Amino acid sequence: MTDTDWMRLALREARLALNEGEVPVGAVLVRGDTLLVRAHNRREALQDPTAHAELICLREGGAALGGWRLTGCTLYVTLEPCPMCAGALAESQLGSCVYGAADPAKGCCGSVYDLPADPLLRSAVTWRSGVLAEECAQLLRVFFQQRRKREDGRDSAADGE
């Protein structure tokens, strides 16, 4: 399978997150041509600030492989990892990370900060960006438009009371 194929699977996960009212970020962890784990954001469902798709993949991937080192694995994620996730990916000894949309607010792989390029961290993870970027970004736009509409509706109802 290609990077595009794997990202399409991550997008399916992101759509599940959207349907569950979560920020629509999806991820898949693979080794070679084998899918190890698929996940999406679950912060609301689990009431856990660390329940990002990437971290769920790392936890479940380590369990599936019987160890925390994810050498030789690739993580495909629909949004540029935040500082927490980028750090965890580096610590996992992941082989590579491929992400779709850039995150100009919290992205830690070049947008706000470039954690992978920091020589002090000595991370061996290779990073690639832009795979199906527009499709990934579109899901996020839909989510935030829906959220703004809900919030506007609540504000209007509160004003009417």
Side-chain angles (χ1 to χ4, degrees), residues 33-79:
D33 279 338
T34 302
L35 174 66
L36 299 173
V37 179
R38 60 177 72 203
H40 56 275
N41 276 3
R42 306 228 32 242
R43 291 188 315 170
E44 300 298 330
L46 299 176
Q47 296 298 293
D48 177 354
T50 70
H52 289 202
E54 300 98 317
L55 295 186
I56 294 168
C57 278
L58 293 183
R59 287 183 198 117
E60 293 181 10
L65 294 171
W68 64 268
R69 289 177 184 85
L70 301 178
T71 309
C73 294
T74 300
L75 181 82
Y76 292 87
V77 60
T78 58
L79 182 64

Side-chain angles (χ1 to χ4, degrees), residues 85-156:
C85 292
L89 294 171
E91 288 297 313
S92 74
Q93 298 183 10
L94 184 73
S96 60
C97 177
V98 178
Y99 65 89
D103 184 353
K106 296 180 184 173
C108 209
C109 301
S111 292
V112 174
Y113 176 66
D114 196 351
L115 185 139
D118 190 325
L120 297 174
L121 298 177
R122 298 183 193 142
S123 172
V125 179
T126 60
W127 301 80
R128 295 188 306 280
S129 63
V131 177
L132 298 178
E134 182 51 36
E135 287 180 52
C136 296
Q138 179 60 27
L139 271 182
L140 290 157
R141 283 191 292 271
V142 166
F143 172 80
F144 286 108
Q145 286 170 353
Q146 289 174 352
R147 188 153 120 188
R148 277 191 292 278
K149 284 181 186 176
R150 282 193 309 270
E151 289 171 357
D152 289 346
R154 275 192 235 137
D155 290 344
S156 299

